[in-house]
């Protein structure tokens, strides 16, 4: 394994959700300076104008502080919810009967029954099914389905308030992944210029294919993120791999997924999703409740520290913050804590070693060059960085599938490609416009840029990958081992 003596660069990326907390004066800039790599625009909350204004501010701040920050639009999807109670909430007791009534008015719920916004729920249920409400805090077992009424009894009781979500243990609810609201929000995401778009509750690759079709030519540079949160999505490897292949990235959305498959299964499934995504050359985000106590506290719990560190050691590209940064009291402190924990986990030897695809063949030249460069860099003395000249960011993505302690520098003229690389583990993206350069000056100019950014220094080696024709997708066919000389300083 190769090491250098530079200050550590955090390899695991941080995704932070924007909201009222990040809207506070100066807070967004402090969050970006603290290390946020990707901002999440949660379309379950806020208006189109809210999202537009927040992304405009992100782009202005990122340009001013010299960072590439990606934007992820997260579609709400078919969140299946109960309707509302006439007095705001009810207290359900263990053993009592309770009815989900598809015909009941939206505001007419009481201690005996409540309506539902998903009018075909009864068609998906049968006697013996278990329903989990409010993220599993309340549990109902189905005793009978009579027309549009689902008759249940309470297994785990508690306070049930308006509009809480419903999940079926083991999955099987047939609501489509893309709702009418999602289709409207998709157009908003296109208009404001996001870099990634997350699709909620996909059951198969077909749901991701539908989203890709809706994006059309205008959205061809937007990366699709599949939020893995349905039991059906992880029921077998073929289904999971199909969803991963149909996406540019996946998210381990542990809230609804944990409710549907059970918490005891969740950690193993999380590890399986991360492993499969990396094997299939896709980025992966681990999300939900990673530092939830920091919504109200300035420091994380030990359990949260271990949770984040475990995801880092598994090889996740990014860890995600939700309410912690959108609505919490300590958004900047949460980002800083996430950075500390990630850096600590990345110091472990296992986080810097890799056997990725070492026994597999390759079908593409750019894959072969990228992975060869990473193995060479990890074993050749004196290498301080891997530099990938890339038009789309794909070479840097492939290289980042291999664990290393060295920075991977993605050099791209396209601002879209630069932001896309902001999600990839271990990748530092820099603007590098080759349009006015002579071919013989490319390598020297690239090395000078790395020196300027403190990523390498005189007498170091840099492994460079590039193609014969710059700005051509999939054209990487060359790997060179270059020495940094005094000529590259102040160039």
């Amino acid at each position: 394994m190769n090491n250098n003596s530079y200050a550590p660069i955090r390899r695991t990326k941080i995704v932070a959700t924007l909201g009222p907390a990040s809207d506070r004066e100066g807070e967004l800039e402090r969050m970006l300076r603290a290390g946020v790599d990707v901002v999440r625009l949660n379309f379950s909350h806020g208006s189109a104008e809210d999202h537009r204004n927040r992304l405009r501010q992100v782009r202005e701040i990122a340009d001013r502080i010299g960072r590439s920050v990606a934007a992820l639009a997260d579609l709400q999807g078919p969140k299946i919810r109960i309707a509302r109670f006439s007095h705001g909430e009810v207290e359900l007791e263990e053993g009592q009967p309770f009815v989900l009534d598809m015909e009941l008015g939206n505001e007419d719920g009481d201690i005996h029954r409540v309506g539902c916004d998903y009018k075909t729920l009864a068609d998906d249920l049968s006697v013996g099914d278990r329903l989990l409400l409010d993220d599993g805090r309340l549990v109902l077992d189905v005793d009978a389905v009579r027309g549009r009424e689902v008759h249940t009894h309470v297994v785990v009781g508690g306070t049930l308030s308006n509009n809480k979500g419903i999940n079926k243990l083991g999955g099987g609810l047939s609501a489509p992944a893309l709702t009418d609201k999602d289709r409207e929000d998709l157009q908003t995401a296109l208009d404001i210029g996001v870099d990634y778009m997350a699709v909620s509750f996909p059951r198969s690759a077909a749901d991701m294919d539908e989203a890709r079709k809706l994006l059309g030519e205008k959205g061809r540079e937007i990366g699709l993120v599949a939020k893995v949160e349905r039991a059906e999505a992880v029921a077998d490897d073929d289904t999971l791999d199909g969803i991963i292949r149909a996406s540019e990235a996946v998210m381990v959305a542990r809230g609804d997924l944990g409710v549907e498959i059970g918490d005891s299964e969740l950690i193993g499934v999380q590890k399986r999703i991360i492993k499969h995504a990396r094997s299939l050359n896709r980025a992966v985000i681990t999300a939900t409740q990673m530092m939830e106590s920091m919504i109200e506290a300035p420091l994380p719990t030990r359990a949260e520290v271990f949770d984040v560190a475990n995801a880092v050691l598994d090889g996740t590209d990014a860890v995600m913050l939700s309410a912690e940064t959108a609505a919490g009291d300590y958004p900047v402190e949460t980002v800083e804590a996430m950075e500390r924990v990630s850096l600590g986990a990345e110091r472990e030897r296992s986080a810097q070693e890799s056997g990725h695809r070492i026994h597999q063949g390759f079908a593409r030249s750019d894959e072969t060059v990228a992975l060869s460069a990473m193995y060479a860099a990890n074993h050749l003395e004196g290498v301080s960085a891997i530099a990938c000249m890339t038009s789309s960011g794909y070479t840097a993505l492939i290289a980042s599938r291999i664990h290393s302690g060295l920075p991977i520098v993605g050099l791209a003229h396209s601002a879209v490609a630069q932001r896309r690389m902001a999600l990839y583990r271990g990748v530092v993206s820099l603007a590098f416009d080759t349009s006015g350069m002579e071919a013989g000056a490319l390598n020297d100019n690239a090395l000078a840029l790395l020196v300027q950014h403190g990523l390498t220094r005189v007498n170091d080696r840099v492994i460079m990958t590039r193609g014969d024709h710059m700005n051509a997708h999939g054209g990487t066919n060359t790997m060179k081992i270059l020495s940094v000389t005094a000529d590259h300083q102040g160039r």
Side-chain angles (χ1 to χ4, degrees), residues 450-468:
L450 268 62
V451 171
Q452 176 187 333
H453 283 269
L455 296 166
T456 189
R457 58 172 72 106
V458 175
N459 297 324
D460 284 350
R461 289 168 166 161
V462 171
I463 294 187
M464 180 84 67
T465 69
R466 51 175 283 195
D468 293 332

Side-chain angles (χ1 to χ4, degrees), residues 9-18 30-40 67-72 284-287 290-291 308 312 316-322 324-325 331-343 346 419 421-427:
I9 295 173
R10 173 175 44 82
R11 304 184 68 77
T12 308
K13 302 307 181 74
I14 297 174
V15 182
T17 304
L18 303 187
R30 287 191 286 271
M31 287 169 56
L32 297 188
R33 289 186 180 276
V36 171
D37 301 288
V38 181
V39 296
R40 172 177 172 248
R67 297 194 60 223
S68 290
V69 178
L72 166 66
V284 56
I285 304 165
T286 304
M290 301 217 77
M291 287 191 166
V308 172
V312 171
T316 192
D317 284 86
V319 285
M320 193 176 97
L321 299 165
S322 298
E324 300 96 329
T325 52
V332 176
E333 291 84 351
T334 307
V335 175
E336 292 171 343
M338 194 75 95
E339 166 132 348
R340 289 194 303 272
V341 174
S342 297
L343 282 169
E346 289 165 4
R419 293 194 300 266
M421 289 186 283
L423 180 61
Y424 303 157
R425 182 175 175 128
V427 175

Side-chain angles (χ1 to χ4, degrees), residues 204-215:
S204 68
D207 290 328
M208 303 308 298
D209 292 339
E210 181 184 359
R212 173 61 64 197
K213 184 177 180 180
L214 289 171
L215 282 174

Side-chain angles (χ1 to χ4, degrees), residues 1-67:
M1 182 184 67
N2 207 334
N3 283 303
N4 61 40
S5 58
Y6 292 79
I9 295 173
R10 173 175 44 82
R11 304 184 68 77
T12 308
K13 302 307 181 74
I14 297 174
V15 182
T17 304
L18 303 187
S22 63
D23 289 343
R24 297 194 294 258
E25 182 66 30
E27 207 77 351
L28 181 57
E29 179 164 346
R30 287 191 286 271
M31 287 169 56
L32 297 188
R33 289 186 180 276
V36 171
D37 301 288
V38 181
V39 296
R40 172 177 172 248
L41 307 173
N42 185 1
F43 278 76
S44 296
H45 304 283
S47 66
E49 197 58 28
D50 290 335
H51 301 310
R52 185 184 305 276
N53 289 336
R54 285 168 181 156
L55 182 52
R56 176 181 51 78
Q57 292 177 52
V58 168
R59 294 274 159 81
E60 289 175 355
I61 295 168
D63 286 345
R64 177 156 40 82
I65 67 177
R67 297 194 60 223

Side-chain angles (χ1 to χ4, degrees), residues 149-226:
E149 296 180 351
V150 179
H151 292 256
T152 76
H153 70 272
V154 178
V155 178
V156 177
T159 302
L160 182 61
S161 56
N162 295 333
N163 304 122
K164 294 303 181 184
I166 304 173
N167 294 84
K168 177 184 171 186
L169 185 64
L173 299 182
S174 59
L178 290 163
T179 65
D180 291 341
K181 179 184 186 307
D182 293 332
R183 287 177 169 82
E184 293 178 10
D185 290 340
L186 182 147
Q187 292 302 317
T188 299
L190 273 173
D191 291 341
I192 66 178
V194 302
D195 305 293
Y196 290 97
M197 190 180 71
V199 177
S200 297
F201 300 99
R203 287 170 295 184
S204 68
D207 290 328
M208 303 308 298
D209 292 339
E210 181 184 359
R212 173 61 64 197
K213 184 177 180 180
L214 289 171
L215 282 174
E217 181 62 23
K218 185 179 177 182
R220 63 185 177 85
E221 292 187 317
I222 293 177
L224 282 180
V225 180

Side-chain angles (χ1 to χ4, degrees), residues 171-361:
L173 299 182
S174 59
L178 290 163
T179 65
D180 291 341
K181 179 184 186 307
D182 293 332
R183 287 177 169 82
E184 293 178 10
D185 290 340
L186 182 147
Q187 292 302 317
T188 299
L190 273 173
D191 291 341
I192 66 178
V194 302
D195 305 293
Y196 290 97
M197 190 180 71
V199 177
S200 297
F201 300 99
R203 287 170 295 184
S204 68
D207 290 328
M208 303 308 298
D209 292 339
E210 181 184 359
R212 173 61 64 197
K213 184 177 180 180
L214 289 171
L215 282 174
E217 181 62 23
K218 185 179 177 182
R220 63 185 177 85
E221 292 187 317
I222 293 177
L224 282 180
V225 180
K227 294 176 66 177
V228 181
E229 48 195 337
R230 272 181 160 159
E232 297 96 317
V234 297
D236 59 77
D237 285 349
D238 287 344
T239 301
L240 175 60
D241 289 351
I243 291 172
I244 294 172
R245 287 191 177 98
S247 314
E248 278 70 48
V250 294
M251 183 189 296
V252 189
R254 304 182 304 179
D256 285 284
L257 182 61
V259 172
E260 290 212 356
I261 67 174
D263 289 340
S264 61
E265 302 294 323
L266 187 57
I267 186 62
V269 170
Q270 173 178 311
K271 290 177 181 291
R272 177 159 64 98
I273 295 169
I274 293 173
K275 181 180 179 181
H276 281 233
R278 292 187 63 84
S279 295
L280 294 171
N281 297 328
R282 300 297 192 271
V284 56
I285 304 165
T286 304
T288 316
Q289 297 178 326
M290 301 217 77
M291 287 191 166
E292 190 168 23
S293 72
M294 291 193 72
I295 294 171
E296 298 176 339
L299 291 171
T301 66
R302 288 274 165 76
E304 289 166 341
V305 168
F306 273 73
D307 182 30
V308 172
N310 182 64
V312 171
L313 291 173
D314 283 342
T316 192
D317 284 86
V319 285
M320 193 176 97
L321 299 165
S322 298
E324 300 96 329
T325 52
D329 295 332
Y330 302 96
V332 176
E333 291 84 351
T334 307
V335 175
E336 292 171 343
M338 194 75 95
E339 166 132 348
R340 289 194 303 272
V341 174
S342 297
L343 282 169
E346 289 165 4
R347 283 195 290 270
E348 288 299 309
R349 187 179 181 90
S350 62
Q352 301 180 27
E353 296 179 331
S354 184
H356 176 70
R357 298 184 68 181
I358 197 164
H359 299 300
Q360 297 179 20

